[in-house]
Amino acid sequence: MFPHHREREQPIFSARAHVFQIDPSTKRNWIPASKHAVTVSFFYDANRNVYRIISVGGTKAIINCTVTPSMTFTKTSQKFGQWADSRANTVYGLGFATEQQLHQFSDKFKEVKDAARLAREKSQDKELANTALTIAAPQFSQDLADELQSPPVMCVNGPEDKLFRSQSADITLSSEKERIKKMLSEGSICEMNLEAELFTLQDSNSKLVAALHEANTNVEQWKKQLAAYQEETERLREQVAELEAHGGQGPSDLLKDELTQSLEELEALLKAKDEEIHILQSKKAEYHEMEHARDEAMHRLRETEMRNSELERRIQNTEQNLSNSLEDRDRVDTEIQRAIEILDIKIFDLNDLRQSLVKLIDK
């Protein structure tokens, strides 16, 4: 069940950007949709063969746009681009940190739009083929209805009552199936939001891990430099002590001042390095918090998948019940048809008997 959901809709490209929407009243000013840069991802739904642009801010979907062949992404500046979504009746704007990120998103938008156009053309060809195969279906249904209405009215309440009950059960099962499918669709949307949030967390996690590795490397280098500076400081202090012991004048005083100044610079540098190490340690704590948030998102994703699994099981049971009801209806239809044929034979025999009696009376 888990692979089925993960393969249905997957992120194929992501970028960080500030999201804006056009002001619906003025149609000119931009309204920020996010307080800071968020992840904007392209998703592909393999079952429906559609592409979507999704961005989640906190617990709310900022962008949920289905890409169509008629959409166009326009670069309005070096780091800003926009496109219109006619279904949502709005215009989205994205502000990127660099011009390269804008070019990458624009190229991916064009690639996805071309893929959406090819998918629509294939879907239209398939619909045309299905239409050609079902042209004769209305006439066949009319002929079948005429044949069922042609026999005289007769009292076979048993099979008709069974047929009515079968059709009622069919309608009930169909409505139950639609309700469960709606619940499953809502669960899929929730799962999609969780997957987008998880993808964002994984992206942030990978960046933090890379930054942490780099920081660890820098810390090792700084420790070596710190040890070297400490040795240099001790050496300078010894030289200062020696100069003070000699108690020289003139050039020795100048050298002493230079050594004192160098010592102060080294101490200031050591203090700055200590502050940088403290900052890196605080980033380490942020990394642990991000891991905790990722674990919570994974837990919610597993719970959503369990709910979807239960809904799919209920749909399978409903489809099985519907299949059984259809079989019962077909069996009832067969019984009714057999009864009609028997009554036709009886009526034909009675008609022959009546004609024979008329001839006998005439004689």
Side-chain angles (χ1 to χ4, degrees), residues 144 148 159-160 162-164 166-167 326-340:
L144 182 59
L148 292 176
E160 287 183 355
K162 290 181 181 179
L163 178 60
F164 175 75
S166 175
Q167 292 175 345
L326 292 175
E327 292 178 358
D328 293 339
R329 187 177 65 179
D330 293 339
R331 186 169 57 255
V332 170
D333 290 341
T334 304
E335 293 177 358
I336 292 175
Q337 188 65 30
R338 188 182 301 110
I340 291 174

Side-chain angles (χ1 to χ4, degrees), residues 24 94 161 276:
L94 298 180
D161 186 54
E276 290 181 359

Side-chain angles (χ1 to χ4, degrees), residues 221-274:
Q221 294 178 355
W222 290 336
K223 285 181 178 180
K224 294 179 180 179
Q225 292 179 2
L226 183 60
Y229 292 151
Q230 287 176 347
E231 293 178 358
E232 182 67 17
T233 302
E234 292 297 330
R235 188 179 65 82
L236 292 175
R237 283 178 179 174
E238 291 176 357
Q239 291 181 0
V240 170
E242 291 177 358
L243 290 173
E244 289 178 349
H246 287 83
Q249 300 295 328
S252 299
D253 292 337
L254 180 60
L255 180 60
K256 180 181 177 180
D257 293 338
E258 292 178 354
L259 293 174
T260 303
Q261 183 179 359
S262 300
L263 182 61
E264 291 176 353
E265 291 178 354
L266 288 174
E267 289 178 349
L269 183 59
L270 288 175
K271 185 178 179 181
K273 294 298 181 181
D274 289 337

Side-chain angles (χ1 to χ4, degrees), residues 172-231:
T172 303
L173 291 173
S174 298
S175 62
E176 179 68 14
K177 181 179 178 181
E178 292 298 327
R179 185 177 67 84
I180 294 177
K181 281 186 175 180
K182 183 179 179 182
M183 293 172 61
L184 182 61
S185 176
E186 293 175 354
S188 299
I189 294 174
C190 180
E191 181 188 355
M192 178 270 298
N193 291 333
L194 287 175
E195 286 181 351
E197 182 179 355
L198 179 61
F199 182 79
T200 303
L201 289 174
Q202 288 176 345
D203 184 42
S204 301
N205 184 33
S206 61
K207 292 180 179 178
L208 283 174
V209 169
L212 185 61
H213 288 324
E214 183 179 358
N216 289 332
T217 304
N218 293 334
V219 166
E220 294 297 329
Q221 294 178 355
W222 290 336
K223 285 181 178 180
K224 294 179 180 179
Q225 292 179 2
L226 183 60
Y229 292 151
Q230 287 176 347
E231 293 178 358

